[in-house]
Amino acid sequence: MKVLIFVYTCMAYEKTRALLQQNSWAKDNFDVVFVTDNPKSELKNNIYLGSYTKSWYTKDFNIITKILKLCLEQRYFYYDWYMITDDDSYLFIDRLKEYLKFFDTDKPYFIGDYYWTLKDPKWIEHDYKWAGGGCGYVFNKTTILKLLDVINKNKFPIDNEDIWLNNVIKKDTTIQRVHCPGFSQYPETISNYPISIHLNHDMTLINKYHK
């Protein structure tokens, strides 16, 4: 099984976040690609898709669309699954692959942590649960084709990037939203068998999980 992981970073955090990932869970793994707004990035496996039009603390919706399209290009088309995660996350790649064996790559899945809102007072009363982008989301080519079709046919209000992407998903009810217990938006909510953990900006936790 081939899984391609895009880590969303930026010039401001390449050295304090992305580099720590590169030297830990992503070390010597060419299936991990750092997406950055730095055309002169020194990260070993990086890709520059243009400058970001949003401020540093949120993802660029145009860049997310570019990543989706990139997955369909010849150089990345042979992967079975794709993931977008943040530069302050810790990922157990082997565990992710084991988990994904239970899913059919021909069916449109969008996998992530949908329960994090139940732990956050800001969102606990919200009427819609969406996958938290910090620990990332996983999808396949079938999902990508459906997402791009919705994006091409609709305009969505610019909001938090996770809400934006999940509003796209809501437009196509055939996309199956799957909560993965191993994905944790906050370190304090991790399961007994973590797969992806959003460190919530605390990069000192890298050493804790990288043992």
Side-chain angles (χ1 to χ4, degrees):
M1 176 186 296
K2 297 287 290 182
V3 181
L4 181 63
I5 298 127
F6 291 103
V7 177
Y8 197 97
T9 190
C10 62
M11 186 183 302
Y13 288 144
E14 281 189 3
K15 293 184 178 179
T16 56
R17 295 184 184 178
L19 188 59
L20 297 179
Q21 292 175 315
Q22 177 180 278
N23 293 333
S24 57
W25 63 265
K27 189 173 183 179
D28 300 325
N29 192 324
F30 291 99
D31 293 332
V32 179
V33 179
F34 291 91
V35 180
T36 180
D37 63 345
N38 181 8
K40 298 181 180 180
S41 174
E42 295 182 1
L43 293 168
K44 289 182 180 179
N45 196 20
N46 76 83
I47 187 165
Y48 172 72
L49 296 179
S51 59
Y52 298 163
T53 57
K54 305 295 289 184
S55 54
W56 63 267
Y57 57 85
T58 188
K59 295 184 181 69
D60 184 315
F61 309 105
N62 293 324
I63 296 296
I64 292 177
T65 303
K66 287 182 180 181
I67 292 174
L68 294 176
K69 292 179 178 179
L70 193 65
C71 297
L72 301 179
E73 293 184 2
Q74 184 175 1
R75 55 178 158 168
Y76 295 138
F77 191 78
Y78 63 92
Y79 284 90
D80 303 297
W81 295 94
Y82 304 87
M83 180 178 190
I84 299 177
T85 189
D86 280 0
D87 58 7
D88 59 339
S89 65
Y90 191 94
L91 179 63
F92 296 88
I93 298 177
D94 290 342
R95 294 181 184 181
L96 175 63
K97 290 181 178 179
E98 285 296 317
Y99 175 76
L100 292 174
K101 288 180 180 179
F102 293 95
F103 296 89
D104 186 344
T105 56
D106 293 327
K107 294 182 178 180
Y109 293 107
F110 196 83
I111 303 169
D113 178 7
Y114 286 91
Y115 291 172
W116 70 276
T117 51
L118 299 177
K119 304 289 185 180
D120 192 319
K122 289 189 300 182
W123 304 110
I124 196 168
E125 299 298 331
H126 200 275
D127 62 354
Y128 179 69
K129 303 299 182 287
W130 62 88
C135 52
Y137 8 76
V138 180
F139 42 86
N140 53 37
K141 283 186 282 290
T142 306
T143 312
I144 292 171
L145 291 172
K146 289 179 175 290
L147 291 174
L148 290 176
D149 183 61
V150 172
I151 292 170
N152 289 335
K153 294 178 179 178
N154 300 272
K155 288 188 177 180
F156 299 91
I158 299 300
D159 203 335
N160 171 284
E161 71 279 359
D162 300 333
I163 300 176
W164 177 85
L165 187 53
N166 281 276
N167 281 336
V168 173
I169 297 169
K170 286 172 66 177
K171 275 288 186 178
D172 190 329
T173 58
T174 66
I175 297 175
Q176 299 182 54
R177 297 182 295 137
V178 178
H179 172 70
C180 176
F183 279 44
S184 302
Q185 184 70 358
Y186 301 114
E188 57 270 23
T189 63
I190 65 170
S191 67
N192 293 329
Y193 193 76
I195 295 175
S196 182
I197 307 166
H198 179 218
L199 304 179
N200 205 21
H201 314 317
D202 185 359
M203 300 308 292
T204 64
L205 294 175
I206 283 278
N207 293 329
K208 175 181 178 180
Y209 298 113
H210 192 65
K211 295 180 180 179

